[in-house]
Amino acid sequence: MAREDVGIILGGPQGAGVETSMMVLTRALARRGFGVIADREYFSNITGRHSYIHMLVSSRAIPRSLRYPVEIIASMDAETLFTHIDDVANGGYIVYDSGVASKRLEEIVSMEDITRVRVLEKLKKNGVASTVASVLKFLERDRDVKAIGLNFADLLRRLMNRYRIEVSSLSRYVSGIIVSAVAVLLGLDVEAIKYSLSIQFSSRRNIVEQNLELFKYVEESLQSYRNSIALEKPKHNFRKLMIVTGNDVVAMGKIVGGLRYQSYYPITPAADESFAIEKYEHLRAEKDIGSIVVIQTEDEISAICSAIGASLAGARSATVTSGPGFDLMVEGISWAGANEVPIVVTYYQRGGPSTGQPTRGSQSDLFNAIFAGHGEFARVVITSGDHVEAFYDSIEAFNIAERFQVPVIHLLDKFLANSIRTIPPPDLDSVKIVRGSISSGGKEYKRFDLGYIVSPRAFIGVDDTVMWYSGDEHDEYGHIVEDPENRVSMYSKRIKKLDLIASEVSRDMKLQVYGDRDLDYIIIGWGSVKGVVLDALELLYRKGFRGCYINVKLLWPFPSREVVEVLSKTDRDRIIAIEHSYNVQIADLVALSTSIKIEKKIAKFTGRPITLNELVDALQKLLTSETTHVVLTYGA
Amino acid sequence: MERRSYRTDLWIDWCPGCGNFGILTAVVRVFEELGLDPSKTVIVSGIGCSSKIPHFINVNGVHTLHGRAIPFAMGIKLANPELIVIVHGGDGDLLGIGAGHFVALGRRNIDVTVILHNNGVYGLTKGQASPTLPLNAKTKALVKPNIQQALNPIALALSSGYTFVARGYAFDGEHLKNIVKKAILHKGAAFIDVLQPCVTFNDIFTAEYYRKRIYRLEDNSSWNPIVEKPEDRTIKLLKAIEKSFEWGDRIPIGVFYQDTTVSTFEERILQRIKIYLEMSPAKSSIAEDGGRSVIDGKRFEEIFRDYIVDVEGTQQ
């Protein structure tokens, strides 16, 4: 029977081509209309540590969440098999290199000791010896798994002889074996693979040819497994799908939204966004559209300050960072607040505190984004639940920044940044660029005219106009003034923007509610937990629990009125807050803003994404018992 | 234009006799002589006494954060390369908290002029030792002699890549004016170390102290700081660095180094973005009338085609 979706793990050492495998497979699958979501897990390391892709292929264009166990594990090395011993489904498939069958767990130096000890204990408990062969035998016997050994060395030797490839570059073809094996299991045709390869290696025809030859060898070896895991026909009829990471999609949104200056200091997981933008620095389609200056600054302080400078001159400008970098930017954000400068900070959270888990995900910086900075001033914090939202929100971030002349923090996370999704191309007819109140200046121009909450803004450089800015309290012209009455009017003018924002930002931009209207329970959360929560709602609905999800998008100023309106539809003890953090800060934010105290919480702070299986279990537990707090831990 | 038109009518709250007055006068005179358009000129400053200067001048003024004037200036200049951008900061501001930015501007050689108000102390916070105060110096506000070494602003600027490096003296107005003028006209990152007595807190580097020691480099007819061709660069640079360490009985002022053979950052951007000057970030339109993005659906697909897959058939 054809399946709606298939879960897959592609694993191997960092730098060995796991990502290339994912990209080639994803593009080939998209070519045939399948949707893919893929999370990339990796150490803070360049080469050698265990990295893997956890993906879900689906007949939906945009699958929403990841789950365990998976139907296919394709491993480049022995470590993958030990690390993911619990992750394969009953009746699932494991593709492995038969050359590593005798490899012992104790020999795997790239594995962290603490992980090795844990895996060893697990093996001991099940009476399994610590070799790859015994692990596979155990899975075959215990879980009806089919372990498919391919002799990687033999396959590569054949290829080498055929094309006279240097021995030293043979390892580059391992990704081809992985791609081919998974494609054969899924019954994906060679034409789709060919299409994908020719884009992946567009300038290197011979590599495409060699990989196709390799596909042939693998297909021969796996004849009997062809189409073992068939997928249902795609349920959508998009003629085009984009394959994007969160970084990519934000880059695109910013460019469409009129970004003209982007500064950054390298930091994971934000830096890829700037790389993506830099490709379009000379922006042109059928005509020259404009220039985007992308600059790697000397530090995050310079990144934010130079972006503010560019904004003063009239360019839509942004900077991009994650927690440690944001901390350095705070002084600049305060200055922007004091000087009513539109500026966008795209903030990709990762595991903290300090350098924490540089390559893992988290949502623990909510309060950092909302409250960072001394003194009081209006700032806006928005977030996105998935790749599609992130595109439109990247544009809206500029619109809000310019309409209200405030710093806007677009709070995202590593799960979004580094995960790949297939999404339909955006609908640009629905996109609007709103620059707010712009003045053409003139001799009498007053930058901080107290006749408005949002004074008309002239850009530095406008003819016949001179203006001043100062981080000190200032008068309408921007000159330093310490007079108490001026202080009250200027200070209030700036903060009153929060009320204006609360009344003028659209409801859709504040929050979105998904699910049943007749409610047993309500989940509230924000950012990239959205997909997995929506899938969990669906599964629980089938089990008789009717719930809804409040996807909060405007985190500050918090949409108290709208949230209360939804939360009041159920009993307080049927409200559940969820977040990738220890404290589940959204619950505190709701309490602070609405006086509603949420007791039930689901937290995950391993750095790995929340998966559907563990979330459904947790929700069921919260809904059927006195439990109030569940901490999730699934994932390698 | 009249000189008056470049001055605001705000009361200047510097201490009477402060060296900053000399710098202000020199800068205003240069604006007057060059007839700069106030709306196309920007003064960006950091924090401290010196950094209040934008408020006293009738051109665009951006009074920023401690040590951060240079990054703000960079953003303004790169977004709109038409603008003339001048940074003012103190020695603590530019060489202490802002040292990283100071170095980075030199590396980039952005067409910005940096004017250092160098008085050896943090004046506005009442006299702490700044990065240019020598080891063991004890100004009157210090409890104990300075325990940190002084750095050499000229040598630092030269090794960072500034392509115009000079020193002026706040109370030699005519000379300072000429240097500021050259710096503004120079294409590339320009740095002027302006010796500036702090009458309240620095009782070592006083006007009297400088009067006895300062001499002008250009009085020696063999001094030629200008790099005519790239091959001369190293020799001129070494000479300038050597000269920068002359401090004590004799203190040189004047132009130490000028190199126009190095590409400016703006020229480097122009190499990559051919339309950079006519469609600079601040000057290129981002929306059509009615708020539609200049990137419509068709252009989107063209620009981002690498990300788009044409879905074809279904399996089998």
Side-chain angles (χ1 to χ4, degrees):
Chain A
M1 203 181 73
R3 312 173 50 95
E4 192 193 23
D5 56 43
V6 174
I8 304 172
I9 285 175
L10 310 175
Q14 179 78 6
V18 179
E19 245 186 283
T20 311
S21 314
M22 171 203 46
M23 207 48 225
V24 174
L25 266 176
T26 302
R27 200 184 295 102
L29 287 158
R31 177 72 162 173
R32 293 292 172 252
F34 294 110
V36 174
I37 174 174
D39 169 61
R40 195 155 75 78
E41 287 300 330
Y42 53 103
F43 280 77
S44 181
N45 157 257
I46 297 170
T47 315
R49 287 279 191 186
H50 177 58
S51 74
Y52 67 95
I53 307 286
H54 180 193
M55 60 200 279
L56 191 92
V57 180
S58 156
S59 53
R60 297 183 193 206
I62 319 175
R64 291 188 299 210
S65 69
L66 292 164
R67 56 155 171 80
Y68 282 110
V70 297
E71 284 69 38
I72 301 173
I73 291 182
S75 58
M76 291 182 169
D77 61 357
E79 185 170 357
T80 302
L81 300 164
F82 289 116
T83 308
H84 297 282
I85 185 170
D86 288 332
D87 297 337
V88 62
N90 281 331
Y93 294 79
I94 291 180
V95 177
Y96 70 101
D97 176 6
S98 55
V100 302
S102 59
K103 194 110 181 183
R104 298 176 62 83
L105 177 59
E106 294 83 344
E107 297 169 48
I108 297 174
V109 289
S110 52
M111 185 183 273
E112 288 180 335
D113 291 339
I114 199 164
T115 310
R116 188 183 300 109
V117 168
R118 195 171 55 243
V119 176
L120 260 175
E121 275 169 12
K122 210 177 288 174
L123 293 179
K124 238 182 240 163
K125 217 171 79 191
N126 288 291
V128 182
S130 63
T131 62
V132 166
S134 330
V135 165
L136 293 173
K137 202 165 286 166
F138 162 71
L139 292 174
E140 284 179 318
R141 190 190 61 223
D142 224 59
R143 295 190 208 157
D144 193 25
V145 165
K146 279 136 210 107
I148 307 171
L150 284 169
N151 191 325
F152 284 22
D154 270 1
L155 291 166
L156 295 175
R157 208 170 297 125
R158 272 177 80 185
L159 196 70
M160 179 174 79
N161 294 338
R162 167 95 202 255
Y163 291 100
R164 294 204 201 111
I165 299 166
E166 299 266 333
V167 180
S168 59
S169 43
L170 266 189
S171 63
R172 289 185 211 157
Y173 296 85
V174 171
S175 66
I177 300 179
I178 297 294
V179 167
S180 307
V182 174
V184 170
L185 286 171
L186 293 173
L188 194 61
D189 62 287
V190 68
E191 283 305 313
I193 298 288
K194 187 177 172 187
Y195 167 83
S196 184
L197 287 169
S198 45
I199 292 173
Q200 188 78 23
F201 304 107
S202 56
S203 54
R204 290 166 291 173
R205 277 249 181 95
N206 56 330
I207 304 222
V208 177
E209 192 193 328
Q210 291 156 6
N211 272 284
L212 286 170
E213 183 72 9
L214 192 56
F215 182 88
K216 237 192 269 172
Y217 303 160
V218 173
E219 202 178 25
E220 281 164 22
S221 319
L222 301 185
Q223 270 309 338
S224 54
Y225 295 103
R226 171 152 267 284
N227 214 6
S228 303
I229 304 186
L231 281 155
E232 283 174 10
K233 271 195 166 183
K235 287 192 186 104
H236 62 89
N237 42 24
F238 291 111
R239 289 177 32 248
K240 292 175 195 293
L241 287 176
M242 300 204 298
I243 299 174
V244 283
T245 65
N247 289 140
D248 294 335
V249 89
V250 172
M252 289 175 183
K254 282 180 164 178
I255 292 171
V256 170
L259 172 79
R260 291 292 178 268
Y261 183 94
Q262 165 119 341
S263 51
Y264 75 103
Y265 185 75
I267 192 164
T268 305
D272 286 351
E273 185 201 299
S274 299
F275 275 31
I277 293 170
E278 199 168 356
K279 284 191 277 181
Y280 305 99
E281 59 179 2
H282 181 164
L283 191 56
R284 59 192 140 182
E286 83 259 60
K287 63 168 193 181
D288 289 327
I289 292 172
S291 40
I292 305 176
V293 169
V294 178
I295 184 165
Q296 179 186 328
T297 52
E298 59 276 20
D299 53 34
E300 284 90 350
I301 296 169
S302 178
I304 182 78
C305 293
S306 69
I308 293 170
S311 176
L312 295 178
R316 278 199 160 178
S317 66
T319 185
V320 60
T321 192
S322 70
F326 183 82
D327 288 354
L328 291 182
M329 292 183 176
V330 173
E331 184 192 28
I333 291 170
S334 260
W335 195 92
N339 282 283
E340 309 184 45
V341 187
I343 177 80
V344 172
V345 179
T346 313
Y347 182 164
Y348 294 95
Q349 300 161 93
R350 62 187 212 186
S354 190
T355 30
Q357 288 185 320
T359 63
R360 311 289 180 180
S362 123
Q363 293 182 296
S364 47
D365 299 353
L366 172 56
F367 283 165
N368 198 35
I370 288 177
F371 297 132
H374 58 285
E376 303 153 289
F377 59 94
R379 112 264 319 266
V380 171
V381 181
I382 61 169
T383 184
S384 309
D386 56 35
H387 290 54
V388 174
E389 278 186 35
F391 175 83
Y392 296 104
D393 295 345
S394 305
I395 301 166
E396 201 48 31
F398 285 121
N399 288 344
I400 293 175
E402 290 200 329
R403 269 175 76 191
F404 304 104
Q405 298 176 17
V406 290
V408 172
I409 297 157
H410 189 187
L411 191 60
L412 301 166
D413 59 47
K414 180 263 168 184
F415 303 119
L416 178 111
N418 286 166
S419 68
I420 284 240
R421 285 208 193 180
T422 45
I423 64 172
D427 167 22
L428 295 188
D429 290 339
S430 69
V431 165
K432 219 168 180 169
I433 295 201
V434 185
R435 301 217 63 178
S437 180
I438 307 269
S439 164
S440 54
K443 294 251 180 289
E444 303 305 312
Y445 179 69
K446 293 190 282 190
R447 171 65 191 91
F448 303 102
D449 193 331
L450 281 167
Y452 308 80
I453 292 181
V454 181
S455 315
R457 184 167 72 110
F459 305 142
I460 288 182
V462 165
D463 290 344
D464 299 323
T465 308
V466 170
M467 67 198 88
W468 291 269
Y469 288 92
S470 171
D472 284 27
E473 190 57 88
H474 40 257
D475 62 15
E476 293 179 293
Y477 292 96
H479 287 308
I480 303 171
V481 162
E482 303 207 8
D483 175 76
E485 286 188 15
N486 174 78
R487 169 70 165 172
V488 170
S489 4
M490 204 49 91
Y491 200 93
S492 312
K493 159 189 157 57
R494 288 191 299 262
I495 294 181
K496 273 182 195 154
K497 289 179 182 180
L498 287 172
D499 296 330
L500 195 66
I501 292 160
S503 70
E504 292 197 357
V505 166
S506 73
R507 187 189 153 91
D508 265 4
M509 195 59 221
K510 287 178 177 168
L511 80 175
Q512 284 160 356
V513 182
Y514 298 86
D516 217 302
R517 286 179 165 274
D518 192 12
L519 296 171
D520 289 334
Y521 68 102
I522 295 175
I523 304 176
I524 184 163
W526 57 282
S528 60
V529 298
K530 175 185 165 186
V532 71
V533 171
L534 295 189
D535 279 345
L537 285 181
E538 261 184 34
L539 279 181
L540 286 173
Y541 189 82
R542 283 181 228 158
K543 298 184 180 190
F545 300 98
R546 292 162 308 167
C548 81
Y549 176 57
I550 309 177
N551 176 36
V552 182
K553 291 182 62 66
L554 182 64
L555 292 166
W556 197 260
F558 192 75
S560 313
R561 190 172 51 80
E562 291 84 352
V563 167
V564 168
E565 216 175 86
V566 185
L567 289 184
S568 55
K569 288 181 181 173
T570 190
D571 296 336
R572 295 274 164 101
D573 64 350
R574 307 292 286 179
I575 302 171
I576 298 163
I578 180 167
E579 197 171 272
H580 276 282
S581 71
Y582 181 89
N583 261 335
V584 192
Q585 297 170 17
I586 187 74
D588 295 333
L589 187 59
V590 169
L592 174 81
S593 312
T594 69
S595 302
I596 296 177
K597 196 166 182 322
I598 300 174
E599 301 285 355
K600 298 202 168 177
K601 297 177 184 177
I602 298 175
K604 186 167 185 177
F605 46 94
T606 59
R608 282 68 171 172
I610 295 172
T611 52
L612 184 57
N613 47 301
E614 58 178 348
L615 178 58
V616 169
D617 289 350
L619 286 169
Q620 241 171 309
K621 203 163 165 192
L622 288 173
L623 292 171
T624 56
S625 72
E626 296 300 304
T627 310
T628 56
H629 202 111
V630 182
V631 176
L632 307 176
T633 56
Y634 203 100
Chain B
M1 261 194 246
E2 296 288 306
R3 175 190 303 198
R4 189 79 198 135
S5 66
Y6 286 101
R7 282 289 319 278
T8 57
D9 49 13
L10 296 186
W11 177 64
I12 299 177
D13 61 357
W14 291 325
C15 306
C18 173
N20 284 335
F21 285 101
I23 302 173
L24 172 64
T25 307
V27 170
V28 166
R29 283 180 61 197
V30 172
F31 287 4
E32 182 190 308
E33 285 182 21
L34 294 175
L36 296 187
D37 179 348
S39 65
K40 309 293 175 200
T41 307
V42 194
I43 293 184
V44 185
S45 67
I47 291 292
C49 293
S50 58
S51 291
K52 291 182 177 177
I53 199 167
H55 299 288
F56 310 138
I57 302 180
N58 199 17
V59 302
N60 291 296
V62 186
H63 180 189
T64 70
L65 293 159
H66 199 32
R68 315 302 171 208
I70 286 174
F72 277 88
M74 171 171 80
I76 294 168
K77 179 71 181 177
L78 296 184
N80 185 353
E82 271 178 25
L83 301 173
I84 289 174
V85 180
I86 299 152
V87 166
H88 282 266
D91 30 324
D93 192 73
L94 287 169
L95 303 176
I97 186 168
H101 310 306
F102 180 82
V103 169
L105 180 61
R107 285 172 55 214
R108 297 186 182 117
N109 197 30
I110 299 174
D111 188 13
V112 163
T113 299
V114 178
I115 300 177
L116 172 71
H117 298 222
N118 184 353
N119 63 12
V121 291
Y122 286 80
L124 202 50
T125 48
K126 311 225 182 299
Q128 298 84 352
S130 90
T132 55
L133 191 70
L135 179 65
N136 292 327
K138 189 188 169 311
T139 53
K140 62 183 179 186
L142 292 179
V143 180
K144 298 202 170 163
N146 183 22
I147 199 168
Q148 305 187 57
Q149 287 234 51
L151 63 72
N152 179 336
I154 300 278
L156 180 64
L158 289 166
S159 49
S160 301
Y162 283 80
T163 49
F164 178 96
V165 179
R167 181 185 285 139
Y169 175 47
F171 293 149
D172 188 347
E174 185 65 19
H175 181 263
L176 179 59
K177 184 206 72 183
N178 288 332
I179 287 177
V180 171
K181 195 165 167 184
K182 281 183 188 159
I184 290 176
L185 293 173
H186 173 76
K187 285 261 160 275
F191 170 66
I192 310 171
D193 173 26
V194 187
L195 304 174
Q196 175 235 330
C198 172
V199 290
T200 306
F201 291 112
N202 194 330
D203 50 352
I204 298 173
F205 297 135
T206 58
E208 181 63 12
Y209 178 94
Y210 285 131
R211 194 179 54 77
K212 289 184 190 151
R213 293 170 171 80
I214 278 173
Y215 77 97
R216 296 177 177 187
L217 282 167
E218 57 271 31
D219 287 349
N220 179 350
S221 58
S222 69
W223 180 256
N224 175 8
I226 298 171
V227 176
E228 314 276 358
K229 42 190 194 307
E231 304 88 271
D232 298 344
R233 188 175 300 141
T234 310
I235 288 185
K236 296 264 177 175
L237 203 49
L238 286 173
K239 276 193 178 149
I241 289 175
E242 187 181 18
K243 186 54 90 178
S244 78
F245 281 93
E246 188 178 324
W247 184 275
D249 291 343
R250 280 167 61 76
I251 300 173
I253 59 171
V255 178
F256 281 72
Y257 182 78
Q258 183 168 17
D259 185 353
T260 50
T261 67
V262 178
S263 63
T264 64
F265 199 72
E266 296 88 318
E267 286 163 349
R268 293 172 212 166
I269 296 177
L270 193 60
Q271 290 287 313
R272 293 167 38 162
I273 313 174
K274 305 288 180 226
I275 54 167
Y276 174 57
L277 294 179
E278 72 255 38
M279 293 182 98
S280 65
K283 295 278 168 164
S284 63
S285 154
I286 62 171
E288 316 277 2
D289 290 342
R292 284 175 68 101
S293 169
V294 289
I295 301 174
D296 58 14
K298 192 170 144 261
R299 287 189 188 137
F300 181 90
E301 286 193 9
E302 189 178 332
I303 292 168
F304 299 112
R305 74 176 86 76
D306 288 355
Y307 292 95
I308 300 172
V309 170
D310 294 311
V311 177
E312 213 173 60
T314 46
Q315 241 177 314
Q316 286 117 36

